[in-house]
Amino acid sequence: MAHLEPLSKSLHSELEPKFDHYQKTRGFIPNSILTMQRRPEISKAFMQLNQVILYEGTVSEELKMLISLISSQASGCRYCQAHMANLSRIYKASKEKIESVWEFQTSPLFSEAERAALNVAFKGALIPNMAATEDFDELKKHFSESEIVEIVASLALFGYLNRWNDTMATDLEDYPKEVAQELIGSKGWNPGKHG
């Protein structure tokens, strides 16, 4: 059970267009953002940061979603794992790739570039942080410096979201729960305190 309940989407009219966008693209409005709107400027700033990091730049959205999924798996946030399994599928990651993301180092489904990015995301999500010089040396073989900023920004964005949702015990919406059960349930995912 969530520590704070999500508020109505119609509470702050300036946020409604963005909420409508989430409803249209994801099929639901995330409870995390509806809860954040107790401080509308935090909700607004988060949505803008989310847009710039995940949906702009030159790193593919598919890879950014998988980076966010692996970082959420490494941190243990089941709410974000469900959301990112859903968004990975929306942004064209195959069912097999989503199911196998935890085995990115050995799965033939992932390219060397994807492995380098997912490795930094995985190690960067651990506490203490395990991302090392050799991990960035490998990343630099495949990505420009501006793309590396996008990759680390995706990981860092989910550092915020993983902490937010695990601390708040945000209730998981039905749709991403169903998607997560389908795509990563066989790998041990369950909603935990978010269910």
Side-chain angles (χ1 to χ4, degrees):
M1 178 184 215
H3 299 300
L4 293 177
E5 291 299 314
L7 301 175
S8 167
K9 78 170 199 143
S10 59
L11 189 62
H12 299 285
S13 60
E14 72 275 15
L15 299 177
E16 278 192 76
K18 196 65 172 171
F19 291 156
D20 290 342
H21 173 75
Y22 281 111
Q23 182 69 48
K24 188 171 106 179
T25 58
R26 298 177 187 205
F28 63 96
I29 302 167
N31 285 331
S32 55
I33 299 168
L34 292 173
T35 302
M36 275 181 221
Q37 72 171 322
R38 284 175 171 81
R39 293 292 307 275
E41 292 305 315
I42 292 174
S43 191
K44 186 191 303 183
F46 167 76
M47 289 187 286
Q48 182 177 1
L49 188 63
N50 185 68
Q51 173 66 37
V52 170
I53 291 174
L54 293 182
Y55 304 102
E56 297 177 16
T58 58
V59 175
S60 74
E61 290 165 335
E62 175 193 7
L63 181 55
K64 288 180 183 179
M65 302 310 160
L66 292 170
I67 287 165
S68 302
L69 175 57
I70 196 76
S71 65
S72 296
Q73 288 176 321
S75 75
C77 179
R78 295 175 181 274
Y79 180 91
C80 290
Q81 290 171 36
H83 278 236
M84 297 322 296
N86 179 48
L87 281 172
S88 293
R89 181 166 72 177
I90 288 171
Y91 286 96
K92 309 300 183 214
S94 68
K95 180 179 191 284
E96 295 77 21
K97 225 174 193 180
I98 297 166
E99 288 174 333
S100 301
V101 74
W102 200 243
E103 293 93 30
F104 70 89
Q105 293 172 334
T106 57
S107 172
L109 296 171
F110 298 93
S111 69
E112 291 302 315
E114 290 170 324
R115 282 192 184 100
L118 293 170
N119 184 54
V120 166
F122 168 70
K123 289 182 174 180
L126 298 174
I127 298 174
N129 191 307
M130 300 300 290
T133 300
E134 57 269 18
D135 302 316
F136 276 85
D137 290 343
E138 186 62 27
L139 200 58
K140 289 173 184 176
K141 292 178 185 177
H142 307 282
F143 297 96
S144 69
E145 290 184 355
S146 63
E147 289 172 328
I148 290 171
V149 167
E150 288 181 53
I151 289 165
V152 175
S154 299
L155 158 68
L157 178 69
F158 276 82
Y160 171 78
L161 282 171
N162 295 157
R163 295 297 164 256
W164 175 271
N165 291 302
D166 254 1
T167 302
M168 289 290 200
T170 307
D171 289 332
L172 183 58
E173 307 82 7
D174 289 338
Y175 184 71
K177 185 187 301 181
E178 292 168 14
V179 171
Q181 287 169 334
E182 174 193 344
L183 297 177
I184 55 178
S186 66
K187 300 295 182 175
W189 180 88
N190 65 65
K193 64 182 167 186
H194 306 285

